[in-house]
Amino acid sequence: MPRHFSRILRTGNNMSAQAIRYLIVGGLVFAFDFGVFTGLLLINAHWLFAANIAGKIAGALLGFFLHRHFTFSWQKRQSGLTQFLSYGAVLLLNLMISSGLVYLFVISMNIEAVIGRLLSDIITIFLAFILSRNLVFSRDVQDAK
């Protein structure tokens, strides 16, 4: 692995280093989330919103731990409880936006459920990165000095 890339994965706290780590972790989280979503839809196609919410919650639980320890692994950080509560607030916002977009794409626009969910995820993943970086895993005031 090239030295520069290896350093970014380990220690870089600038926006581009975090974005790379976020994409790696996000890919794992997305696969898990989407797997739960599609698995539940295969069981019952009428579980669209339940499958969406279950996938988002399952992915968020995995994502919290991976993002806390890999993506946004600041040397000094807020308490785990503070970050977990903030992450929960971001998840709640993400669930509302995602469900609204799934409704828009799948129900209103009559797009296939899997495609509608993918379109929804494109929007919510970007939003979640910005909120996670700036609210959930933000640097402590001491770190910014």
Side-chain angles (χ1 to χ4, degrees):
M1 177 179 311
R3 208 171 249 193
H4 178 70
F5 188 69
S6 176
R7 188 175 52 84
I8 285 174
L9 290 179
R10 284 191 323 258
T11 60
N13 286 334
N14 61 44
M15 182 79 124
S16 61
Q18 285 178 339
I20 290 168
R21 290 193 310 263
Y22 187 84
L23 290 173
I24 292 167
V25 168
L28 294 171
V29 170
F30 174 77
F32 186 66
D33 169 352
F34 207 75
V36 170
F37 171 75
T38 54
L40 290 173
L41 281 184
L42 288 172
I43 293 170
N44 187 332
H46 298 288
W47 291 353
L48 178 65
F49 294 107
N52 183 56
I53 291 169
K56 290 290 179 201
I57 290 172
L61 291 174
L62 176 63
F64 174 76
F65 294 104
L66 292 177
H67 287 310
R68 177 171 164 80
H69 297 290
F70 180 66
T71 307
F72 302 106
S73 56
W74 305 108
Q75 199 166 15
K76 296 177 185 175
R77 54 184 173 226
Q78 301 164 333
S79 74
L81 179 60
T82 300
Q83 287 179 336
F84 186 76
L85 293 174
S86 298
Y87 198 81
V90 170
L91 171 62
L92 184 59
L93 179 63
N94 189 334
L95 283 171
M96 291 187 296
I97 292 170
S98 175
S99 294
L101 290 171
V102 166
Y103 180 86
L104 173 70
F105 296 138
V106 177
I107 305 299
S108 295
M109 299 174 71
N110 204 28
I111 296 173
E112 161 66 34
V114 172
I115 302 300
R117 173 67 190 282
L118 286 172
L119 293 172
S120 166
D121 284 344
I122 289 168
I123 296 165
T124 57
I125 287 170
F126 175 74
L127 176 64
F129 171 73
I130 299 300
L131 292 174
S132 293
R133 184 178 200 284
N134 294 310
L135 298 176
V136 178
F137 301 107
S138 63
R139 292 182 187 210
D140 289 344
V141 175
Q142 297 171 347
D143 287 344
K145 294 180 182 177

